[in-house]
Amino acid sequence: MSEPTGKYSITMPRDIAEAAKARSGPSGLSAYVAAAVARQIERDNLNELIQVAEAEHGPITEDEIQALRDQLHQARRQQAHNEPNAA
């Protein structure tokens, strides 16, 4: 069962609307715009979480970010190394 929908009127620059319409594919412009808005809401929620965490623990340093990126890259390399070859 899908979520109930509502009809809304929005205003946006014509070039953006035309580009979105061209990329929307068979699902249509409404679905494309809804997905874009959902992604923006997720980003806004994450930014709010970051602000709360930084207020409590202080800002994350570039060194900490790089160390986490390095850990992620290493984990991905290890995972790729452990995966059996596709046949």
Side-chain angles (χ1 to χ4, degrees), residues 29-41:
L29 182 59
S30 291
Y32 189 87
V33 171
V37 171
R39 281 191 305 274
Q40 185 61 49
I41 290 169

Side-chain angles (χ1 to χ4, degrees), residues 50-61:
I50 290 168
Q51 289 174 353
V52 168
E54 286 185 341
E56 186 173 335
H57 303 287
I60 300 170
T61 67

Side-chain angles (χ1 to χ4, degrees), residues 14-37:
R14 183 167 288 152
D15 60 334
I16 293 174
E18 291 302 321
K21 194 173 182 181
R23 292 176 175 264
S24 64
S27 62
L29 182 59
S30 291
Y32 189 87
V33 171
V37 171

Side-chain angles (χ1 to χ4, degrees), residues 33-48:
V33 171
V37 171
R39 281 191 305 274
Q40 185 61 49
I41 290 169
E42 289 174 356
R43 288 179 177 179
D44 292 345
N45 289 340
L46 286 172
N47 284 332
E48 289 172 8

